[in-house]
Amino acid sequence: MARQEAEPLEDQRQAGIQVIARAAAVMRALGKNPQGLSLAAIAQEVDLPRSTVQRIVRALEHEYLIESLGPNGGFRLGPALGQLINQTQTDIISLVKPYLTELSGQLQESVCLSTLAGDKTYVIDRIVAERELRVVFPIGIQVPAYATASGKVLLAEQPIATVRALLPKELPKLTPHTLTLSALLEQLTQVHREGHACDLQEHIEGLSSFAVGLDTYLGFYSISVVAPASRARNGETFYRQALLECRQKVERAIGKDAMLR
């Protein structure tokens, strides 16, 4: 008897999941077409019967998640969606911090979230590793972008002409490993293609860093790990893989195209 009762409950749960999934598909379709779509176009986009789409659209419209384009027909994303995003997803630091904490714990190294400020990398948040030999740096520190992994992934998003305008023709030599401008520009092409960068004692002797770009609908940032060169020498592959996995998790949640997937 209990089994017979459980089956309808499971059916109801699955039906509820299906409704949510279909509503999400409709909203993604409208997100990809900000100019709006007719019911027929939405149905074609999400591969559902028009009658099903009409019911979903009516429910979403009632919650202001979708709005009508007027008497000529068609629908687009509604104001309630923007309000929700504005209320709950405008703070990049609070959104990314759990991922930084997880990454630092996984690598047992200090990690940071940075953005580009002119020709400098600006650290907006960081997690310091809990171990005896660790790298400690303050939030708000600004360091030369050309000599850090985080700076390189941020510079790599800029047109080469912009990078040339930002940086001096002769880059100050911070360590014996600091790159020349020509070598940096060549490296940035590879960084843009591969999506990750490294700094092998180019900023401070004895320290290395590894970073990935983070493309979110709140802007472009970098996540980096900073470690003593002695550990980085043996952990480069491990650091890079962990960073790439971290980026995938973050961008799945708040990536620039998250609403379109």
Side-chain angles (χ1 to χ4, degrees):
M1 182 71 177
R3 182 178 177 82
Q4 291 176 348
E5 291 177 354
E7 286 179 354
L9 288 175
E10 178 62 20
D11 290 343
Q12 291 174 21
R13 188 178 75 86
Q14 291 298 328
I17 291 172
Q18 184 184 61
V19 169
I20 294 171
R22 287 177 169 179
V26 168
M27 293 178 70
R28 290 193 187 100
L30 292 175
K32 288 190 292 184
N33 296 274
Q35 76 282 0
L37 291 174
S38 65
L39 282 175
I42 297 173
Q44 184 175 7
E45 183 80 17
V46 299
D47 194 24
L48 288 172
R50 178 177 170 141
S51 58
T52 300
V53 169
Q54 188 170 23
R55 288 195 298 273
I56 293 170
V57 165
R58 282 177 178 169
L60 293 173
E61 190 178 13
H62 183 71
E63 299 297 330
Y64 300 100
L65 291 167
I66 284 178
E67 63 180 2
S68 170
L69 290 174
N72 293 329
F75 297 87
R76 65 185 177 191
L77 292 177
L81 184 62
Q83 290 168 3
L84 287 172
I85 291 173
N86 184 59
Q87 291 167 2
T88 65
Q89 296 188 343
T90 56
D91 184 354
I92 187 69
I93 294 174
S94 63
L95 288 170
V96 176
K97 187 177 283 292
Y99 301 98
L100 289 183
T101 303
E102 180 184 8
L103 181 65
S104 180
Q106 178 185 356
L107 299 179
Q108 288 296 293
E109 301 288 3
S110 298
V111 300
C112 64
L113 176 70
S114 305
T115 187
L116 194 63
D119 63 347
K120 301 288 195 300
T121 299
Y122 179 79
V123 174
I124 60 176
D125 197 20
R126 58 94 169 93
I127 305 293
V128 175
E130 295 294 336
R131 60 188 303 173
E132 288 185 5
L133 180 59
R134 59 184 181 168
V135 181
V136 181
F137 45 88
I139 293 173
I141 189 173
Q142 297 187 50
V143 296
Y146 68 84
T148 61
S150 58
K152 289 177 184 178
V153 295
L154 293 166
L155 288 173
E157 284 301 299
Q158 307 295 320
I160 291 296
T162 302
V163 176
R164 285 185 180 276
L166 278 175
L167 301 177
K169 292 182 179 179
E170 189 170 334
L171 300 178
K173 199 80 170 169
L174 303 175
T175 77
H177 306 282
T178 304
L179 300 179
T180 63
L181 180 59
S182 59
L184 174 69
L185 293 177
E186 183 178 344
Q187 194 176 97
L188 290 182
T189 301
Q190 180 180 355
V191 171
H192 182 75
R193 183 173 64 250
E194 297 179 352
H196 57 79
C198 65
D199 139 39
L200 303 177
Q201 305 186 70
E202 296 163 36
H203 177 227
I204 299 174
E205 284 196 79
L207 292 184
S208 292
S209 63
F210 306 86
V212 292
L214 196 60
D215 199 6
T216 79
Y217 52 69
L218 297 172
F220 192 87
Y221 301 86
S222 71
I223 292 179
S224 58
V225 52
V226 187
S230 56
R231 289 203 295 263
R233 213 172 289 120
N234 298 321
E236 182 173 348
T237 302
F238 179 46
Y239 294 153
R240 183 180 296 115
Q241 185 59 37
L243 282 164
L244 290 171
E245 290 173 1
C246 180
R247 177 177 68 188
Q248 186 177 38
K249 292 176 184 176
V250 176
E251 289 190 348
R252 182 173 178 81
I254 62 168
K256 187 169 63 176
D257 298 325
M259 278 295 296
L260 306 183
R261 288 198 293 270

